[in-house]
Amino acid sequence: GNSVTQMEGPVTLSEEAFLTINCTYTATGYPSLFWYVQYPGEGLQLLLKATKADDKGSNKGFEATYRKETTSFHLEKGSVQVSDSAVYFCAQDTGSQGNLIFGKGTKLSVKP
Amino acid sequence: GAVVSQHPSWVICKSGTSVKIECRSLDFQATTMFWYRQFPKQSLMLMATSNEGSKATYEQGVEKDKFLINHASLTLSTLTVTSAHPEDSSFYICSALLPGDTQYFGPGTRLTVL
């Protein structure tokens, strides 16, 4: 069945470091792919998305490219800030309206 | 942006009692809301899809008589955990679908059953 696998955390980085959080998926078709972020005490927020192969989603300095050949959607940011500390979830849709399959989440801590 | 609230944010109850969790879309109307469950260090698992004015659609393995969902208005969906037991302890998260297929998530409700 469809699934999402993302790297386990926690990930601890110093401010201005480069960030990569790996995400791979399995799917029978060509799902849309998402990254959500959950800041402490808040709900999940959509960070970025890509709907087809080779699309690049970007927001707030974060980027992820939909790679069909490697079934991946890795999240990257060139220079993280303390305010980026949060839990990041990779997800795919199942084709049914709104149904999402999530990865387990990766906690990121950025130290000053 | 669109805001979804949940109430309560945390609840502790005794085994055998029922607990109701509310999910509200504060600044938009949502014909579709979703309920998820999250275990520690696990993914969010979709429990059910709630449509205003009709019965909820439950995912396989989710007991509809145990997890009662009522979507009484375009801004409110409720999840009632009936006869709760310790294994029902979890983090319950709702989301509301904004027309255009964007889900907005609530902050979650931590349920602990003693």
Side-chain angles (χ1 to χ4, degrees), chain B residues 70-107:
Chain B
N70 183 21
H71 195 152
S73 76
L74 289 172
T75 60
L76 173 64
S77 176
T78 60
L79 168 67
T80 301
V81 183
T82 62
S83 186
H85 291 284
E87 58 265 30
D88 298 324
S89 298
S90 192
F91 194 56
Y92 292 88
I93 302 172
C94 75
S95 70
L97 187 63
L98 186 68
D101 282 355
T102 301
Q103 287 192 44
Y104 288 87
F105 286 82

Side-chain angles (χ1 to χ4, degrees), chain B residues 55-73:
Chain B
K55 291 183 179 180
T57 302
Y58 290 82
E59 296 299 301
Q60 191 173 11
V62 178
E63 299 176 61
K64 62 180 181 180
D65 294 331
K66 180 166 189 62
F67 298 99
L68 300 179
I69 292 172
N70 183 21
H71 195 152
S73 76

